[in-house]
Amino acid sequence: MRLGREVHLVSRPRGRFPAAGDTRIVEVPVPEPGPGQVVVRNLFMSIDPGLVLRTNDLSRLDIPDFTPGEPMWSDAIGEVVESADERLGPGDIVWHRFGFRDYAVAQAGEFRRVDPDAYPSLTHHLCFGLTAYVGTEVAQIRAGDTFFVSSAAGAVGSMAGQLARLRGATRVIGSAGTPEKVRYLKERLGFDDAFDYHQDVRPRLPELDVFYDNVGGAQLEAAIDAMRPRGRIVMGGRNEEIRTGVVQGPRNMMAVIGKRLELLGYYTFDHPELFPVFDERFPRWVRSGEIVVAETIVDGLENGVDAAVNLMHGAYVGKVVLRL
């Protein structure tokens, strides 16, 4: 019988992040597929901030948290190796949500076949282009807008800045955590300006039409002050709150009223009408070089949890993908 490894959550972390003993790798038998099932050998899996939230039972989203004693999960790309369903056959490449394991066995409907030639790399099927695309659409970016995105060197921010440019923004600005990331934004991703958020943010911000907020805290407060009347703030993440555990709301909410600003929290899967458009446009932009997929590859299932923790401490550029 085939054997495979799974990462199980042993217990909820006592601190902000999983530590030694909170997770373990378990070797388990991989069953033969039952009627309507397939067996998928995982190739790559997604590492994202939500993994840390789900270990702590803090996600507060319509996504299940991890359960102690059971396997963890994440988005993944794999290859079908056995099938008992006519919809999928051996060799098909599929996207699914059974990461953190070598093999996934489930009903065929839990897997979505993807085109292995759609992107230059299979890893690009795990990039957060869809999340950024939906966010820039709901922000209603218009020609001539000045656009600012926080955590701009991250998986979502790096996509959002480039998509804003394609939508007509004439000035794209990003914040990042190191001078190296700042240079990457300007020299590789084509941002007009970028700065290290450890500096004073306020002097670096011109008048803004749109702010794509992945962080919250002081950067959100500074952006509110910099917004033009009737500007739009799209709220896609709270990385600073996740990292520190400190809830820091903006102290200038009266400016939101006075400027008639729009603050919109969004969830990608609330907008399925945008998915077909994304599937048609985004791969073409990547293949043509109009969009650069920033990513970091980490090797080994045994390094998946540490990669999630390192991500929260700013260790990587772009989308973090674990290669199994």
Side-chain angles (χ1 to χ4, degrees), residues 147-154 157-158 172-178 181-182 185 191 193-199 201 204-205 211-216 219-220:
F147 176 91
F148 169 50
V149 57
S150 55
S151 190
S158 61
V172 175
I173 303 163
S175 65
T178 68
K181 290 180 180 180
V182 168
L185 292 175
F191 279 58
D193 192 17
F195 57 87
D196 187 331
Y197 67 79
H198 294 101
Q199 305 166 354
V201 173
R204 301 303 302 265
L205 293 179
F211 173 42
Y212 195 124
D213 181 22
N214 291 304
V215 174
Q219 294 191 66
L220 173 58

Side-chain angles (χ1 to χ4, degrees), residues 91-93 113-122 125:
D92 284 341
I93 302 298
R113 184 191 291 112
V114 299
D115 179 1
D117 300 318
Y119 294 106
S121 170
L122 288 179
H125 287 285

Side-chain angles (χ1 to χ4, degrees), residues 5-11 21-28 66-72 100 305:
R5 299 167 301 160
E6 298 177 341
V7 180
H8 288 204
L9 179 66
V10 175
S11 59
D22 291 330
T23 64
R24 68 166 174 249
I25 294 180
V26 179
E27 190 172 68
V28 297
F66 302 140
T67 301
E70 295 186 5
M72 297 165 61
F100 276 113
V305 175

Side-chain angles (χ1 to χ4, degrees), residues 183-240:
R183 284 195 297 272
Y184 183 83
L185 292 175
K186 293 193 287 188
E187 296 173 5
R188 184 73 178 97
L189 301 188
F191 279 58
D192 296 293
D193 192 17
F195 57 87
D196 187 331
Y197 67 79
H198 294 101
Q199 305 166 354
D200 187 0
V201 173
R202 292 176 188 272
R204 301 303 302 265
L205 293 179
E207 287 189 311
L208 303 172
D209 299 291
V210 180
F211 173 42
Y212 195 124
D213 181 22
N214 291 304
V215 174
Q219 294 191 66
L220 173 58
E221 184 173 287
I224 287 173
D225 281 342
M227 297 298 294
R228 292 189 174 105
R230 304 192 184 279
R232 288 92 67 203
I233 299 176
V234 174
M235 306 179 75
R238 313 293 294 171
N239 286 357
E240 185 67 13

Side-chain angles (χ1 to χ4, degrees), residues 44-47 123 126 295-298 319-323:
F44 302 97
M45 57 168 270
S46 173
I47 300 294
T123 59
L126 294 172
E295 67 179 6
T296 299
I297 305 294
V298 177
K319 175 66 184 151
V320 182
V321 176
L322 193 76
R323 178 165 47 201

